[in-house]
Amino acid sequence: NYKIIPTPEFIKNIKILNKKYKSIKKDILKLANQLELNPTMGISLGNNTFKIRLKIIRGFKDIFIAN
């Protein structure tokens, strides 16, 4: 089993991005649900780290996930 634990820096960045992208919190929750089903989704960067491109209403944002 995997557990998603956001870092303090990630939370801070989401708060900043939320001002520009109002749907980002909803999009992050949707991504978290998808990660529970497939924790290794995205592009492998090696060392159990994956890059996921998250589509939000006003554009794209790269999200890095480390296991």
Side-chain angles (χ1 to χ4, degrees):
N1 275 345
Y2 292 92
K3 185 174 182 180
I4 299 170
I5 304 172
T7 63
E9 180 181 0
F10 180 83
I11 294 170
K12 179 183 173 187
N13 288 337
I14 292 301
K15 287 179 181 179
I16 293 168
L17 288 169
N18 189 50
K19 293 176 184 175
K20 185 174 181 181
Y21 305 106
K22 295 298 181 186
S23 70
I24 196 163
K25 288 182 182 180
K26 181 178 161 185
D27 296 333
I28 292 291
L29 289 175
K30 184 177 176 181
L31 174 62
N33 289 333
Q34 291 174 343
L35 284 171
E36 287 179 2
L37 299 173
N38 182 9
T40 59
M41 68 185 282
I43 299 168
S44 177
L45 301 177
N47 200 24
N48 264 346
T49 303
F50 298 87
K51 178 180 176 179
I52 298 172
R53 193 163 182 104
L54 176 66
K55 184 175 183 178
I56 51 182
I57 291 174
R58 295 187 66 197
F60 289 90
K61 190 70 186 166
D62 290 330
I63 305 289
F64 292 93
I65 307 293
N67 290 332

